Amino acid sequence: MKQQKLLLIVNPRAGKNKSLAPLLEAADTLSAAGYLLSVRCTKAGGDAAKIAAEEAAGYDVCVAVGGDGTLNEVVSGLVGMEHPPLLGYFPQGSTNDFAASLKIPNQPEAAVEAILRHEPRQLDVGFWNRRSFVYVASFGAFTRSSYSASQSAKNALGHFAYILEGMKDLDTLRPYRVKLTADGEVLDGEYLFGAVCNSTSIGGLMKLDPERVVLDDGKFEMLLIPNPKNASDLQNLVMALLEQRYDREGLVFRHVSSIRLETEEDLPWSLDGEYAPSMPAVEIVNRQRALTMLL
């Protein structure tokens, strides 16, 4: 049997635990199992995508080591390949939303078991215009906090860093006028928040029922929070969010494969926690089973 080549793309700045010992132990386990390892460390934003795009084609497996942003970059480097390698993930970030959806442990020595089991699972990848995302594209309330919280704050405070950053947005909380066409359905109105996701967790705060999220069905879960028109609407909205019952009156929840959003507002986005600039029109599509991941 041909020796398998594995590329580890490591973001050394990600996460609260700076010790390299767990990662070295995981690497030793992979080597002992017969993998020929190469390690590349990122130094700046964009490095993971560049390394994946330029080097991963020569490997059987490419493993992202870092947070959701690192995974996003590695995926963006792989999806342009005709025959991308298998994808692995050692979550080392502060929220690790996508890893939670996939039940991948946060410790590398435990996550390495997914590689060794060699059970491939196909995954959908989203595209926001031409830019890829793994698990969520969002706009509106608290979106800014996902990419504005500093790396040092995320490392020190984890989820709390996002909450603190989000509190800064409370005084600017406002609705955005948008027109969405989702699989032919037109939704034209004012919304406080919108998310198109392929995950059971959004920002480490909002949870979706795992029974309703299928990661390779060619569909996103779309959640919109309309601007409440009166006290009754606001009460329904708050209760639905607190109870995580997204089908309740006051919220818009759909399973969709493509969305077109148009707006005249200044509407910045977050893609897997990374900033994306406002655009007058955004096309979001699901590329079904674009990558294969070891889980």
Side-chain angles (χ1 to χ4, degrees):
M1 179 176 169
K2 179 173 84 86
Q3 187 174 32
Q4 297 278 295
K5 295 175 65 180
L6 185 147
L7 174 64
L8 287 170
I9 301 178
V10 181
N11 177 1
R13 296 180 64 246
K16 291 178 283 187
N17 182 8
K18 292 297 183 179
S19 173
L20 291 177
L23 180 58
L24 292 173
E25 184 177 334
D28 185 62
T29 301
L30 288 168
S31 182
Y35 283 98
L36 182 62
L37 264 62
S38 295
V39 180
R40 301 288 185 272
C41 291
T42 64
K43 297 179 181 178
D47 282 359
K50 183 178 180 181
I51 294 168
E54 294 180 354
E55 301 185 32
Y59 291 84
D60 301 287
V61 182
C62 179
V63 179
V65 184
D68 292 330
T70 305
L71 178 64
N72 172 285
E73 284 198 24
V74 171
V75 166
S76 72
L78 297 181
V79 289
M81 298 180 183
E82 185 176 357
H83 300 292
L86 296 171
L87 174 66
Y89 185 29
F90 293 170
Q92 296 290 285
S94 304
T95 56
N96 303 316
D97 283 322
F98 198 58
S101 294
L102 300 173
K103 297 181 172 59
I104 300 176
N106 289 340
Q107 293 300 319
E109 62 267 35
V112 75
E113 294 300 322
I115 308 296
L116 298 180
R117 283 195 302 270
H118 206 84
E119 296 177 358
R121 179 175 177 180
Q122 291 181 306
L123 296 175
D124 298 344
V125 174
F127 280 81
W128 182 94
N129 289 345
R130 294 185 178 182
R131 183 170 164 182
S132 65
F133 64 93
V134 185
Y135 75 94
V136 65
S138 64
F139 68 84
F142 308 119
T143 293
R144 188 181 69 87
S145 64
S146 66
Y147 57 77
S148 294
S150 69
Q151 186 64 56
S152 59
K154 293 177 187 178
N155 290 347
L157 301 173
H159 289 283
F160 194 53
Y162 292 92
I163 296 172
L164 289 176
E165 193 68 30
M167 289 175 67
K168 299 177 184 178
D169 284 342
L170 289 177
D171 59 347
T172 60
L173 184 63
R174 66 177 184 86
Y176 294 87
R177 183 82 188 187
V178 301
K179 177 183 177 182
L180 293 104
T181 305
D183 286 358
E185 179 185 9
V186 178
L187 299 162
D188 193 342
E190 294 186 328
Y191 299 96
L192 298 174
F193 173 81
V196 179
C197 63
N198 193 36
S199 171
T200 61
S201 175
I202 304 173
L205 302 172
M206 192 175 295
K207 305 294 183 180
L208 299 177
D209 184 353
E211 296 297 321
R212 304 191 62 179
V213 178
V214 182
L215 301 178
D216 64 347
D217 63 352
K219 291 187 178 292
F220 300 112
E221 284 61 54
M222 182 181 75
L223 176 66
L224 301 173
I225 302 179
N227 186 37
K229 295 181 175 61
N230 50 52
S232 177
D233 284 352
L234 179 59
Q235 183 178 12
N236 288 335
L237 183 74
V238 171
M239 290 304 297
L241 291 173
L242 287 175
E243 296 173 3
Q244 297 179 5
R245 294 173 58 186
Y246 304 116
D247 286 333
R248 283 188 58 158
E249 182 180 357
L251 297 177
V252 178
F253 185 78
R254 302 283 192 274
H255 299 278
V256 297
S257 58
S258 65
I259 298 107
R260 177 177 174 84
L261 184 146
E262 300 168 85
T263 184
E264 296 180 0
E265 306 255 8
D266 181 15
L267 185 66
W269 289 72
S270 172
L271 306 182
D272 295 341
E274 302 299 318
Y275 171 78
S278 178
M279 297 281 183
V282 171
E283 300 277 355
I284 300 176
V285 296
N286 185 302
R287 187 184 295 179
Q288 187 176 16
R289 300 175 181 175
L291 290 176
T292 302
M293 195 167 189
L294 293 175
L295 298 174

